Amino acid sequence: MPARQDIKKILLIGSGPIVIGQACEFDYSGTQAVKALKEEGYQVVLVNPNPATVMTTPGIADSIYVEPLSPEYLEKIIATEHPDALIPTMGGQTGLNLAMKLHELGMLERYGIEVIGANVNSIRLAEDRGEFKRVAAEIGLDTPRSEMKKTIHGAREFAAEVGLPLVIRPSYTLGGQGGAIAYTHDQLDVLMERALDESPIHECLIEESLIGWKEFEMEVMRDRADNAVVICSIENIDPMGVHTGDSITVAPIQTLSDREYQQMRTASLEVLRAIGVDCGGSNVQFAISPTDGRMVIIEMNPRVSRSSALASKATGFPIARCAAKLAVGYTLDEIINDITGKTVSCFEPALDYCAVKVPRFETEKFPQAYQELGTQMKSVGESLALGRTFLEALNKAIRAAEMKYEGIQELNIGYDGLDRMLNTLHPLRFFATYTVIKREGQRSLERLHRMTGYDIWFLSQLLKQIDLEDKLTAGGLNDELLLEAKRMGISDKRIAAIAGLSPAEVEKARERGGLHASFHCVDTCAGEFTAETPYFYSTYGEVDEGEPCNKNAVIILASGPNRIGQGLEFDTCCTLASLAYRKQGYQTILINSNPETVSTDFNISSRLYLEPLTVEHVAEVMRKEKVSRVVVQLGGQTPLNMAEDLEKRGAHIVGTAVKSIFDAEDRGLFASLLKKLGLKQPENRMAGNLSEVRKLAKEIGYPVLLRPSFVLGGRSMFIAFH
């Protein structure tokens, strides 16, 4: 089917400001959709008030409106632009809710605008909890026992019938907003009141608790000719009770039998057909009982999501791009996969590696808010890593999350602290589990499985790494153990700590043995077709794929996972820099670990490396590509903090010199510079330990501001009054 000729101008709604649960994944999907639509000759009108995004960069869309996402502003834009169609599925929950509001107000009918990507009825069926439950039942799918309630009294009646705990899910919200688990009747009243306020239609689904069940997601696409494919299967390591955005996840699914997987695959496609999504992607969530294997469907999103961005980067399949083309009339068999340049988009991706996502929490800035996770998302960002095994990808992803851990490792706390983490939905519960296995060995696996709900397979993987670490501790480092450790994704720093060596000694041992990273292409098809778009991940002990870039190349270090103080704006900087370099005839090599971003799109750079932003990983890319020019100023604090170490390894820092970076980032050097220039500054001193802090604070006089060097967004800054 050719692209529709009756549509000339398309309105695309963005997701607005970044919030927890709705972040830069929608800048990625929106930007990809705009580019895909413009390729087909459509005029694109974009509405989004977020100035930090790539999508609001002048020239991306034909018309860009930085206006509030509300019906009154949209009507003015519609009256000015007269679009023929509206795509709401690239703007997260904000985009869907606004489209539904425009429909209810009669605005779409009044101006003759067609909703494409997902029609109004499909959105209603998927987003209305009660309607979704009805549709699932009609096609024979099991759902949790539940009822729609509009009052606290109604929730109490259901609790009397079913018992506690109960899960509360407001209709038409994102990221589990307003959702919670009520364990007591008092909690039920309070949480129900809040959830009703959060729901735009003042309605909630109250359902039986599936806490402890295994949780899975399927990213699926369907076109109007009923071609339907599974793009990616994703398994949550955390059981039900933790929002999927806050769980460590792995793709493809690891612990289901083929029969169970095929049952879930069939159910995913059946629900897509029943809801009526026939021109785009969706994600469908399932839970499976670990005791009897009962499978229930939880929900689906009739739009792209954070999971869509994750699945796109994990597989190399550009979901948002394909969804935009499906929306204007193409079918999956007509869209060529840009990664291979040969296969069509109804060719399901096949992975010969594991992809692991690790959420990032801001526990340092908001420690009280993160004592326990739940059904409402609390992570501010996430990292993604690829590896030949689960352990390799897990260790790399943890390192990439930049939480001061080198990978999965032991926590330095006692059993009281560990028990608190194990018996609550703590952000570090997987680390606590590892710590107990490290101390107690295999005999602890069954007990930990019962306590946490983690599948025995994941616990056995942790034990596998611990066995290797015990060998490193007992026998020291040799070439065989070193290779095994690197194939598990363990960093030089971590190996050094385990073996009682310095990181420099481990690095020298690798050099002596000629042990360096090899890189594989992400090709969507497990090596059956050659990838035309160079998109790489590292591993060890295997044949390297791809020749180095030419001499006219530069490496751009991006910003890693989103966090408070280092977010979308830096990704926009790196993306625009890469495009500008390429326009000037340079090849760009972009390194990043954030699956939500435009910068990790397959066609933004000449080469993309999905790798942790550490000196070790960047140095290995430099070595493979034989490129020394490195841009560090555009990716926020993370690349800046690596500048000196990279320069020692032969990097030529493009732009601001390392000395100048230190003059600006080191508080003491900056103060000296201001003094030399004769500029006024607050009275200040530099201190290196607590006793110096106390002494110098008295000299200055309270209150004093404590400001660490080389941080962004005021991290670890405090005002001390005494």
Side-chain angles (χ1 to χ4, degrees):
M1 299 179 186
R4 291 177 59 174
Q5 300 300 310
D6 58 326
I7 295 174
K8 304 298 180 186
K9 185 182 287 189
I10 298 172
L11 175 63
L12 193 145
I13 302 174
S15 61
I18 299 299
V19 295
I20 292 175
Q22 187 166 279
C24 65
E25 65 269 18
F26 296 110
D27 183 38
Y28 160 66
S29 58
T31 301
Q32 213 179 56
V34 171
K35 290 165 66 176
L37 294 171
K38 285 179 68 65
E39 283 176 12
E40 298 301 325
Y42 296 102
Q43 285 182 278
V44 181
V45 179
L46 173 69
V47 186
N48 194 25
N50 191 333
T53 60
V54 175
M55 68 160 65
T56 51
T57 301
I60 295 292
D62 295 285
S63 300
I64 299 172
Y65 288 86
V66 184
E67 296 289 344
L69 295 170
S70 63
E72 54 269 33
Y73 282 94
L74 261 291
E75 182 166 22
K76 293 177 182 178
I77 294 166
I78 289 169
T80 301
E81 294 286 348
H82 300 288
D84 303 301
L86 164 67
I87 294 183
T89 53
M90 303 296 170
Q93 199 66 44
T94 297
L96 287 188
N97 289 354
L98 186 52
M100 294 300 287
K101 190 68 176 176
L102 296 177
H103 168 71
E104 291 164 8
L105 293 171
M107 201 180 298
L108 300 178
E109 184 178 0
R110 187 159 63 249
Y111 288 95
I113 300 172
E114 180 184 353
V115 178
I116 60 175
N119 62 54
V120 169
N121 189 55
S122 294
I123 296 172
R124 181 182 61 83
L125 291 177
E127 292 293 316
D128 186 297
R129 302 287 186 180
E131 285 293 291
F132 181 74
K133 178 180 173 64
R134 178 185 62 78
V135 171
E138 286 178 356
I139 59 175
L141 296 181
D142 194 1
T143 58
R145 190 178 176 189
S146 60
E147 289 184 7
M148 298 303 302
K149 298 295 180 183
K150 290 180 175 288
T151 65
I152 295 174
H153 178 70
R156 289 175 182 167
E157 288 181 336
F158 186 69
E161 181 183 346
V162 176
L164 295 169
L166 291 174
V167 179
I168 302 170
R169 300 182 186 275
S171 293
Y172 290 90
T173 61
L174 179 87
Q177 183 177 341
I181 302 171
Y183 294 91
T184 66
H185 291 287
D186 289 341
Q187 285 181 344
L188 181 64
D189 290 356
V190 173
L191 296 174
M192 186 66 183
E193 182 178 15
R194 186 184 73 182
L196 289 171
D197 287 340
E198 292 285 357
S199 171
I201 62 171
H202 204 68
E203 181 182 76
C204 296
L205 182 75
I206 313 298
E207 69 181 21
E208 66 172 307
S209 171
L210 303 178
I211 292 174
W213 288 35
K214 297 166 69 171
E215 187 171 4
F216 304 90
E217 283 188 71
M218 303 288 268
E219 286 293 328
V220 289
M221 295 195 80
R222 178 172 176 257
D223 64 23
R224 62 184 70 250
D226 200 29
N227 296 309
V229 292
V230 173
I231 307 302
C232 187
S233 65
I234 302 172
E235 178 168 1
N236 289 18
I237 291 180
D238 283 297
M240 289 288 293
V242 174
H243 190 281
T244 184
D246 291 346
S247 177
I248 298 174
T249 64
V250 57
I253 286 170
Q254 300 291 303
T255 68
L256 290 184
S257 66
D258 184 61
R259 180 183 294 273
E260 290 172 314
Y261 171 78
Q262 294 300 335
Q263 180 186 4
M264 189 177 292
R265 182 184 186 279
T266 300
S268 300
L269 301 181
E270 285 179 352
V271 77
L272 207 63
R273 294 184 174 104
I275 293 295
V277 176
D278 61 0
C279 47
S282 298
N283 71 301
V284 189
Q285 297 179 5
F286 296 89
I288 291 184
S289 169
T291 54
D292 61 12
R294 176 190 169 200
M295 183 184 81
V296 301
I297 185 167
I298 303 167
E299 65 177 1
M300 73 169 290
N301 291 308
R303 55 169 171 79
V304 297
S305 62
R306 184 172 297 184
S307 295
S308 304
L310 174 68
S312 292
K313 306 306 170 63
T315 63
F317 188 106
I319 291 174
R321 176 181 172 81
C322 287
K325 296 213 172 192
L326 294 180
V328 295
Y330 284 106
T331 53
L332 286 166
D333 57 307
E334 295 173 327
I335 304 170
I336 298 296
N337 187 314
D338 296 272
I339 292 287
T340 63
K342 300 179 183 67
T343 58
V344 292
S345 293
C346 57
F347 186 102
E348 289 191 348
L351 308 188
D352 54 0
Y353 53 83
C354 280
V356 172
K357 177 265 291 184
V358 170
R360 179 185 166 91
F361 302 95
E362 291 289 352
T363 52
E364 293 180 353
K365 290 183 178 177
F366 302 106
Q368 295 305 313
Y370 293 100
Q371 292 301 310
E372 187 168 355
L373 303 176
T375 58
Q376 186 168 344
M377 194 190 304
K378 293 183 177 180
S379 61
V380 297
E382 61 191 23
S383 62
L384 176 67
L386 310 182
R388 300 294 275 177
T389 64
F390 167 72
L391 280 175
E392 182 177 34
L394 173 69
N395 281 301
K396 288 170 63 180
I398 291 172
R399 202 148 59 245
E402 298 179 39
M403 300 183 297
K404 299 183 178 178
Y405 297 105
E406 286 296 312
I408 190 72
Q409 62 187 69
E410 188 175 359
L411 299 176
N412 188 25
I413 58 175
Y415 272 99
D416 287 345
L418 290 173
D419 286 341
R420 279 195 297 272
M421 288 182 179
L422 292 171
N423 287 296
T424 60
L425 301 177
H426 195 280
L428 294 177
R429 188 164 62 148
F430 202 53
F431 285 79
T433 302
Y434 173 87
T435 303
V436 173
I437 299 174
K438 180 87 170 175
R439 296 177 187 179
E440 299 181 6
Q442 187 165 358
R443 70 178 188 276
S444 65
L445 297 194
E446 191 59 43
R447 174 170 58 89
L448 289 169
H449 166 63
R450 291 194 303 270
M451 289 178 69
T452 64
Y454 293 139
D455 191 276
I456 283 287
W457 187 84
F458 292 117
L459 301 183
S460 67
Q461 291 296 298
L462 298 183
L463 182 62
K464 183 178 179 181
Q465 179 169 319
I466 288 165
D467 288 343
L468 172 66
E469 291 179 355
D470 289 344
K471 293 176 184 176
L472 285 168
T473 302
L477 198 62
N478 58 52
D479 289 349
E480 184 180 347
L481 286 178
L482 182 55
L483 175 59
E484 189 176 350
K486 298 309 291 184
R487 287 176 64 84
M488 279 191 186
I490 305 176
S491 69
D492 288 354
K493 284 185 180 179
R494 178 69 178 146
I495 293 170
I498 297 167
L501 302 169
S502 70
E505 288 175 307
V506 176
E507 191 174 347
K508 287 178 182 176
R510 282 204 297 113
E511 289 286 348
R512 284 195 304 270
L515 186 56
H516 291 284
S518 54
F519 293 90
H520 285 315
C521 278
V522 174
D523 53 25
T524 80
C525 54
E528 291 183 34
F529 296 90
T530 302
E532 289 192 358
T533 301
Y535 171 21
F536 295 102
Y537 68 94
S538 67
T539 187
Y540 275 82
E542 299 191 12
V543 175
D544 192 76
E545 297 178 359
E547 293 299 317
C549 278
N550 62 40
K551 294 181 180 179
N552 199 26
V554 62
I555 294 173
I556 300 173
L557 302 186
S559 58
N562 280 16
R563 66 207 77 175
I564 296 174
Q566 184 167 303
L568 178 56
E569 64 278 9
F570 295 109
D571 187 67
T572 298
C573 291
C574 293
T575 296
L576 297 181
S578 180
L579 295 174
Y581 266 119
R582 296 179 77 183
K583 194 173 182 179
Q584 296 298 320
Y586 289 84
Q587 285 191 302
T588 56
I589 301 162
L590 203 142
I591 306 175
N592 200 8
S593 60
N594 190 335
E596 303 173 26
T597 61
V598 180
S599 70
T600 48
D601 202 354
F602 64 91
N603 57 7
I604 292 300
S605 53
S606 307
R607 289 204 169 176
L608 170 64
Y609 285 85
L610 196 72
E611 290 291 296
L613 285 158
T614 69
V615 173
E616 178 184 333
H617 286 276
V618 174
E620 288 297 323
V621 174
M622 288 170 55
R623 182 183 180 279
K624 181 229 171 34
E625 293 289 0
K626 298 180 171 58
V627 171
S628 61
R629 286 180 291 185
V630 182
V631 177
V632 300
Q633 291 92 342
L634 303 176
Q637 201 66 46
T638 297
L640 287 180
N641 291 351
M642 290 190 282
E644 185 179 29
D645 285 334
L646 290 175
E647 191 174 59
K648 290 176 181 176
R649 285 167 168 76
H652 168 63
I653 304 301
V654 177
T656 307
V658 171
K659 180 185 181 304
S660 298
I661 293 172
F662 268 75
D663 285 343
E665 294 291 326
D666 185 288
R667 303 291 186 188
L669 292 177
F670 185 67
S672 299
L673 177 63
L674 294 181
K675 186 175 181 180
K676 180 180 178 182
L677 295 172
L679 299 175
K680 292 182 179 180
Q681 60 180 310
E683 188 73 17
N684 60 76
R685 305 282 191 280
M686 290 297 294
N689 55 57
L690 187 57
S691 61
E692 286 182 1
V693 168
R694 288 172 175 158
K695 176 186 174 184
L696 296 174
K698 288 181 180 179
E699 287 184 18
I700 294 172
Y702 289 101
V704 295
L705 177 64
L706 305 174
R707 294 164 58 96
S709 296
F710 289 90
V711 298
L712 187 77
R715 184 178 180 183
S716 299
M717 286 176 60
F718 303 96
I719 298 174
F721 293 91
H722 57 80

